[in-house]
Amino acid sequence: MAKTDPLDAAVIARCLAALHAELTPHVHDPEAIRLAEHVRLRDLAVAQAVQLGNQL
């Protein structure tokens, strides 16, 4: 299994920054995180509803 520790990540980030100056760091969007959680919970609820329907 491949493993990337913080030192490897830092080296990769510096190489990318040197090769691709136009790249910008990813910024977590709290609203996008909340939306993703709502979508995940909805998918779970739909899957459970289907499962219960199948059991009937």
Side-chain angles (χ1 to χ4, degrees), residues 6-23:
L7 183 60
D8 290 336
V11 170
I12 292 168
R14 289 186 71 184
C15 288
L16 284 173
L19 295 173
H20 302 282
E22 73 278 2
L23 294 178

Side-chain angles (χ1 to χ4, degrees), residues 6-7 10-11 14-15 17 19-21 24-25 27 29 34-35 37 39 41-43 46-47 52-53:
L7 183 60
V11 170
R14 289 186 71 184
C15 288
L19 295 173
H20 302 282
T24 58
V27 178
D29 180 8
R34 282 186 41 216
L35 177 60
E37 181 64 12
V39 169
L41 291 173
R42 180 193 173 280
D43 289 345
V46 169
L52 289 172

